[in-house]
Amino acid sequence: MPASLKTEFLGQSFENPFMNASGVHCMSKRELDELKNSGAGSYITKSSTTLSREGNPAPRYHSVPLGSINSMGLPNEGFDYYLDYVLQYQKENPENVPPFFSVAGMSLNENLELLKKIQDSEYRGITELNLSCPNVPGKPQVAYDFEITKEILTKAFEFFKKPLGVKLPPYFDFAHFDIMAKILNEYPLAYVNCINSIGNGLYIDIEREAVVIKPKDGFGGLGGEYVKPTALANVRAFYTRLNPSIRIIGTGGIRTGQDAFEHILCGATMLQVGTELYKEGASIFERLGKELKEIMEKKGYNSIEEFRGKLNNL
């Protein structure tokens, strides 16, 4: 019997757990349509702000041997552009689960206003609140401020009744895992997404003796193979600390079926692909699905739930 990649997430059934990471291959409606027609189980819009943003000056993304470094600065077409897209999708595909919708306000009030617009709209999908953009000059990552995070979630859940997940930055200390998990467990969150890029890395071109991206004097978020161990640690840390009703989306360093298997073994239910999607294009999802199936069949697993979260300790 061939292994099945079918995934249950928030009461919805997906053909497989793979998605794009918000920020990659999702800026335009054309790119979103390419994801719709790819082998991904679902997909997510670019994190949007109220109005369109050009983002940081180029060059702002650079592929490196073990991944990528970027300082994009939240370029996007604006909230209404993506809301129009998901509502049109719902109209044309009434039986399907619509794409996930990502928002990333530049302030507490903007985040709340964006969530109010989603609550008041006909959108019936899953919203992701990005609390972890590390590449906007002068703006700290919200989720590193525990009090502000608690304030946003408290005010959001006073009115927001649709499924809501949050995208988190990487944490590096057990005390921070404990503190954030305690906060998140107070709210009816649908999921947490671990992780966004590791903020403020630096990559040097030795020939030019220079940095490789322009914004922030070359400082940018790291993605790809560099971040997989940190991503796995965050997935595992929150899987073992959060209420079982809060699911985990694993993001960071997924470039092979083995990487996907490891994220699921740590507790992830869905998986998002960023750097490798940027490098390979939307065809990557067919390859990842094939490779994950091969690993599962070799190990005798018929379904993802047979091994999800069952990482062994020594």
Side-chain angles (χ1 to χ4, degrees), residues 228-229 232 235 253 256-268 271 292 295 307 309 311:
K228 190 181 81 167
L232 294 176
V235 169
T256 67
Q258 178 178 320
D259 300 325
F261 185 91
E262 291 174 9
H263 267 271
I264 296 168
L265 196 63
C266 285
L271 308 168
L292 178 56
I295 292 172
F307 64 94
L311 179 68

Side-chain angles (χ1 to χ4, degrees), residues 204 240 248 258 263:
I204 293 172
T240 56
I248 312 287
Q258 178 178 320
H263 267 271

Side-chain angles (χ1 to χ4, degrees), residues 163-185:
L164 179 66
V166 290
K167 188 167 187 178
L168 298 177
Y171 296 97
F172 304 96
D173 194 291
F174 278 114
H176 294 158
F177 291 138
D178 293 340
I179 293 167
M180 182 52 81
K182 184 178 179 181
I183 292 170
L184 298 174
N185 278 333

Side-chain angles (χ1 to χ4, degrees), residues 202-275:
L202 192 68
Y203 191 87
I204 293 172
D205 180 334
I206 190 66
E207 296 301 321
R208 294 189 296 141
E209 300 180 14
V211 298
V212 295
I213 56 175
K214 185 172 183 177
K216 294 169 61 177
D217 296 326
F219 285 73
L222 295 178
E225 289 181 75
Y226 289 118
V227 310
K228 190 181 81 167
T230 301
L232 294 176
N234 276 257
V235 169
R236 189 62 180 173
F238 283 108
Y239 178 76
T240 56
R241 285 167 172 79
L242 292 178
N243 297 330
S245 60
I246 303 176
R247 293 302 181 103
I248 312 287
I249 294 182
T251 308
I254 297 176
R255 53 185 293 272
T256 67
Q258 178 178 320
D259 300 325
F261 185 91
E262 291 174 9
H263 267 271
I264 296 168
L265 196 63
C266 285
T269 300
M270 299 283 282
L271 308 168
Q272 291 185 358
V273 185
T275 295

Side-chain angles (χ1 to χ4, degrees), residues 250-310:
T251 308
I254 297 176
R255 53 185 293 272
T256 67
Q258 178 178 320
D259 300 325
F261 185 91
E262 291 174 9
H263 267 271
I264 296 168
L265 196 63
C266 285
T269 300
M270 299 283 282
L271 308 168
Q272 291 185 358
V273 185
T275 295
E276 207 62 26
L277 169 59
Y278 186 96
K279 292 182 177 184
E280 193 171 324
S283 63
I284 188 174
F285 296 110
E286 296 283 355
R287 176 177 67 77
L288 289 174
K290 180 173 179 290
E291 291 176 359
L292 178 56
K293 263 190 176 182
E294 288 173 352
I295 292 172
M296 289 170 62
E297 289 169 358
K298 184 177 179 181
K299 289 177 170 288
Y301 292 121
N302 294 316
S303 73
I304 282 174
E305 285 303 309
E306 290 178 17
F307 64 94
R308 186 176 66 84
K310 296 180 180 176

Side-chain angles (χ1 to χ4, degrees), residues 7-8 13 22-23 26-27 44 49 64 75 102-103 136 151 188 207 224-225 256-257 268 273 284 288 291 302:
T7 302
E8 296 292 325
S13 181
S22 181
C26 56
M27 178 83 159
I44 188 168
T49 48
V64 296
S102 177
V103 293
V136 177
E151 184 178 0
E207 296 301 321
E225 289 181 75
T256 67
V273 185
I284 188 174
L288 289 174
E291 291 176 359
N302 294 316

